[in-house]
Amino acid sequence: MLCFLRGMAFVPFLLVTWSSAAFIISYVVAVLSGHVNPFLPYISDTGTTPPESGIFGFMINFSAFLGAATMYTRYKIVEKQNQTCYFSTPVFNLVSLVLGLVGCFGMGIVANFQELAVPVVHDGGALLAFVCGVVYTLLQSIISYKSCPQWNSLSTCHIRMAISAVSCAAVVPMIVCASLISITKLEWNPREKDYVYHVVSAICEWTVAFGFIFYFLTFIQDFQSVTLRISTEINGDL
């Protein structure tokens, strides 16, 4: 296990495990508390009512931080690889980083503004997180292909692009169906007119969310060869 997590590999590994735990724990607590229907609630539904709202907010905030740390480290890895053997314009890597950080900022908004309390702000944060996150994975997949075979195996590139494609395909109906729902609520009845839109958008939301998790799982091997050094310098007389 320690060999598996050598270098900076613990960063994406912690992101994946922590984010998965955030979704699962919030869901279990919300269902056991009777606050949501066990069948396909929105991810945000599982973090709207206390006590799960506190768990959801804390864990998603830390996930956003880990996501930003992972994306910045990935940016530095690609930058160093590109300096060693040029394969892509640096702007491409920078744009990917900026979009990824904007997506992490959106996660922070989702974590701190509950769905029923301030729905416009919450939905705006979710839109940022999902759209920017999907574009980030797509750009990183293209970068992976450009750096293949020197820095990535072809199979890794295919896996990343497949996850990106599924996420792209899911995020569009997620947004469209969610926009067609006339009311924001936690309890749904199958006989209601917007129920089908809710089910489709919820399925797509969970698909995209776990698509992100599986995508960052593919970063672990890249991060194994990276080390973090912290240097301290004291200037002037004490």
Side-chain angles (χ1 to χ4, degrees):
M1 184 66 173
L2 293 177
C3 180
F4 172 69
L5 296 179
R6 68 181 183 271
M8 293 288 289
F10 70 91
V11 178
F13 177 79
L14 185 57
L15 170 62
V16 167
T17 53
W18 183 271
S19 300
S20 299
F23 296 147
I24 294 169
I25 292 173
S26 298
Y27 171 83
V28 170
V29 173
V31 170
L32 293 179
S33 300
H35 296 153
V36 297
N37 191 308
F39 181 69
L40 290 174
Y42 286 121
I43 295 173
S44 297
D45 291 351
T46 66
T48 298
T49 309
E52 60 268 17
S53 59
I55 299 171
F56 182 84
F58 169 72
M59 297 191 76
I60 294 301
N61 271 320
F62 192 53
S63 288
F65 168 75
L66 290 173
T70 300
M71 291 172 181
Y72 180 73
T73 306
R74 171 65 181 171
Y75 166 79
K76 297 301 290 185
I77 291 173
V78 173
E79 182 183 56
K80 192 66 176 178
Q81 291 173 343
N82 206 30
Q83 290 172 355
T84 304
C85 180
Y86 183 84
F87 55 82
S88 176
T89 173
V91 176
F92 203 63
N93 190 30
L94 180 60
V95 170
S96 175
L97 173 66
V98 171
L99 287 173
L101 294 180
V102 171
C104 291
F105 178 72
M107 284 181 64
I109 294 175
V110 169
N112 292 288
F113 295 89
Q114 272 73 40
E115 180 183 25
L116 297 182
V118 273
V120 175
V121 178
H122 178 92
D123 292 344
L127 193 64
L128 277 179
F130 283 109
V131 173
C132 290
V134 165
V135 177
Y136 173 83
T137 62
L138 186 60
L139 293 179
Q140 283 297 317
S141 298
I142 295 172
I143 290 174
S144 297
Y145 273 112
K146 286 179 174 293
S147 63
C148 179
Q150 182 166 2
W151 301 112
N152 291 283
S153 66
L154 192 58
S155 59
T156 299
C157 296
H158 289 339
I159 291 170
R160 288 176 182 171
M161 184 56 76
I163 296 173
S164 300
V166 171
S167 298
C168 287
V171 77
V172 174
M174 180 195 79
I175 295 171
V176 172
C177 290
S179 65
L180 293 174
I181 296 175
S182 57
I183 186 171
T184 301
K185 61 178 185 174
L186 302 182
E187 296 289 337
W188 285 93
N189 188 311
R191 290 186 293 273
E192 293 178 292
K193 65 173 184 176
D194 292 338
Y195 181 73
V196 174
Y197 296 142
H198 164 74
V199 170
V200 173
S201 58
I203 291 173
C204 292
E205 183 185 58
W206 284 98
T207 300
V208 176
F210 275 95
F212 292 155
I213 288 174
F214 286 120
Y215 194 91
F216 286 117
L217 199 61
T218 68
F219 282 176
I220 289 179
Q221 186 176 2
D222 296 344
F223 280 49
Q224 288 177 342
S225 58
V226 177
T227 55
L228 175 66
R229 291 189 179 93
I230 300 175
S231 62
T232 302
E233 295 182 4
I234 300 177
N235 298 318
D237 297 329
L238 293 177

